[in-house]
Amino acid sequence: MKVIVIIPAAGLGTRMSTAARKHTPSKQFAELQGVPILLRTMSRFAETPEITQIRIALRKSEIPLFQDILSKGTPETLTKKTVLLEGGDNRQQSVANAMTGVEAAEDDIVLVHDAVRPFVTSRMIHDVVEAARRYGAAIVGVPAVDTIKQVERTAEGALIKATIPREKIVMAQTPQGFRYSVLRKAFDEAAADGFIGTDEASLVERSGQPVAVVMGSAQNIKITTPADLELAEFYSQRKP
Ligand code: C5P
């Protein structure tokens, strides 16, 4: 049974820097201890034996840049499973592009993982694969520790409308994993309805498929802001 991972990495990372305006490489190319974040993320999957193929969606202009990074001393054991392809206008389109050309049976597993979550562990990957096999769809998540407020945005700022009981909240992380047939159906339905979600599970939920949650970790951060980058520097000094 195949396990294919899709890494959408075609964003601009505009919350991190002025990359979009300055045409500088996007946030996944920032280095931690001299190693680009995307290479770290990719390596976590390449080192996991159950992963068959890694499909990375990049901005067209950044494909040669990442090819160059891979050709400079990255061991063949890490690169042999990797396919680079062009992403789309949003995350969902980038994942859809990566799905095109996937050769998979209905029961094979497709994982999707954020390019900027380099601290994913083989335990998390394994748990999501197992839960996706069992339930059809599964994500990594962590319980909410903060109190969550629903707000209404106004010109002056946000106004609280309600407090959402936090025991009912899980913060979604990645990897998110699906049987190929489940993800294919959810993407086809979303495209037909013009629905754009912020993660793959939201597409699968609306197609009526239950999605299981397995335990993630507070360290499985999505490096989004300069403060996250500082924390990531700290984590990357330790052994994974
Ligand atoms: O913007 P956000 O942080 O939600 O992006 C999540 C992921 O989707 C990132 O890994 C980003 O590179 C990717 N993405 C993409 N194609 C886009 C926009 C975002 O692959 N057009």
Side-chain angles (χ1 to χ4, degrees):
M1 187 177 289
K2 289 188 203 164
V3 181
I4 295 158
V5 60
I6 292 172
I7 302 181
L12 291 169
T14 46
R15 281 168 288 183
M16 180 72 85
S17 68
T18 50
R21 270 174 282 135
K22 289 188 175 167
H23 303 289
T24 51
S26 35
K27 65 181 174 181
Q28 58 265 25
F29 293 102
E31 294 184 355
L32 296 172
Q33 305 292 307
V35 182
I37 293 169
L38 179 57
L39 182 54
R40 284 178 174 270
T41 304
M42 185 201 100
S43 301
R44 292 281 83 80
F45 289 91
E47 289 159 359
T48 301
E50 58 205 300
I51 301 295
T52 323
Q53 191 185 59
I54 303 168
R55 300 175 73 79
I56 304 179
L58 290 155
R59 287 157 70 191
K60 192 176 185 183
S61 60
E62 292 183 341
I63 292 177
L65 177 64
F66 195 58
Q67 245 155 4
D68 202 41
I69 290 170
L70 291 182
S71 67
K72 286 192 182 129
T74 306
E76 204 246 332
T77 45
L78 295 188
T79 56
K80 69 175 181 200
K81 298 176 183 176
T82 307
V83 175
L84 308 186
L85 54 100
E86 190 179 340
D89 287 343
N90 53 46
R91 177 202 172 97
Q92 192 169 315
Q93 193 55 53
S94 292
V95 175
N97 288 6
M99 288 275 282
T100 308
V102 162
E103 286 174 16
E106 301 238 311
D107 283 352
D108 285 337
I109 299 295
V110 179
L111 304 180
V112 183
H113 185 73
D114 294 327
V116 289
R117 280 191 204 268
F119 302 112
V120 58
T121 63
S122 47
R123 200 265 304 150
M124 284 177 219
I125 296 169
H126 177 76
D127 288 353
V128 169
V129 169
E130 281 310 303
R133 269 192 187 134
R134 193 160 166 195
Y135 301 106
I139 70 163
V140 170
V142 287
V145 287
D146 295 321
T147 298
I148 308 288
K149 305 290 187 188
Q150 186 181 336
V151 297
E152 186 181 280
R153 310 260 178 219
T154 71
E156 281 87 42
L159 280 178
I160 293 174
K161 301 307 284 180
T163 299
I164 302 170
R166 72 178 166 203
E167 60 277 10
K168 293 196 171 176
I169 299 291
V170 158
M171 318 284 276
Q173 300 185 335
T174 68
Q176 303 196 344
F178 313 91
R179 279 191 213 123
Y180 175 70
S181 56
V182 167
L183 192 60
R184 183 74 274 160
K185 175 172 176 276
F187 264 76
D188 289 348
E189 288 174 3
D193 299 344
F195 176 83
I196 307 276
T198 51
D199 72 351
E200 289 61 46
S202 60
L203 274 56
V204 171
E205 290 154 37
R206 69 187 290 283
S207 81
Q209 162 77 40
V211 182
V213 181
V214 300
M215 197 60 172
S217 140
Q219 279 191 29
N220 184 26
I221 57 169
K222 177 174 167 189
I223 304 171
T224 310
T225 65
D228 297 331
L229 198 55
E230 281 180 36
L231 191 56
E233 280 287 353
F234 174 73
Y235 288 154
S236 62
Q237 284 163 28
R238 299 187 283 181
K239 281 245 161 256

